Amino acid sequence: MDVENSTDCNNTFTINQKNLLLILITSTGLLSFIMCLIAVSLVLRLRIYKYFTYRLAMYQILSSQCHSAVEISHISLLKYDDDTYYQIACKSSSFILEYILWVELLFTICLVFHLFCLAV
């Protein structure tokens, strides 16, 4: 099986569908980025980051903000119809996104474990 042809970065969508998906991903990423900024500013303003549980939640918000920043960067793929650039950019953003999602999972597990230990 050829790995290069089995990825999701192949152009299986039409240009209009690809542009619509990229605009949708970018706009939801922008909204999520703004909401994460508001949440982090509230945590810093209320000074509740001194407690370990809130600090873990803030770390999770920051990792979600990094996830949103990668989604916002997808707007750069909108104007490029060159297949080689699109393939490289798609694979690199997929790798970064996968890494950030694993970090988010790690912070979620840490938060759940800590809350479980507090409850028991």
Side-chain angles (χ1 to χ4, degrees):
M1 184 163 103
D2 189 15
V3 177
E4 291 295 323
N5 292 329
S6 66
T7 61
D8 289 337
C9 293
N10 291 331
N11 290 328
T12 57
F13 298 111
T14 65
I15 301 278
N16 291 334
Q17 289 174 336
K18 183 177 77 169
N19 290 343
L20 182 65
L21 284 172
L22 289 174
I23 289 171
L24 184 65
I25 288 171
T26 303
S27 61
T28 55
L30 185 63
L31 288 175
S32 177
F33 190 82
I34 291 170
M35 294 304 287
C36 288
L37 272 176
I38 292 170
V40 168
S41 66
L42 282 174
V43 166
L44 293 176
R45 181 162 172 86
L46 297 175
R47 297 184 193 272
I48 58 176
Y49 56 85
K50 296 174 184 174
Y51 303 108
F52 186 67
T53 307
Y54 291 115
R55 222 176 340 195
L56 282 175
M58 190 174 77
Y59 293 153
Q60 188 166 7
I61 291 169
L62 289 174
S63 65
S64 295
Q65 194 170 15
C66 292
H67 179 259
S68 301
V70 172
E71 286 183 350
I72 292 170
S73 71
H74 282 119
I75 197 72
S76 66
L77 298 174
L78 194 61
K79 296 279 183 178
Y80 292 100
D81 292 329
D82 184 21
D83 284 338
T84 57
Y85 174 79
Y86 181 77
Q87 293 288 330
I88 293 169
C90 182
K91 288 178 184 178
S92 62
S93 69
S94 298
F95 173 75
I96 293 168
L97 198 58
E98 186 74 24
Y99 181 77
I100 290 172
L101 288 174
W102 278 107
V103 170
E104 284 184 42
L105 180 65
L106 175 72
F107 284 133
T108 302
I109 290 171
C110 288
L111 186 63
V112 168
F113 181 72
H114 181 70
L115 292 175
F116 177 74
C117 289
L118 283 178
V120 173

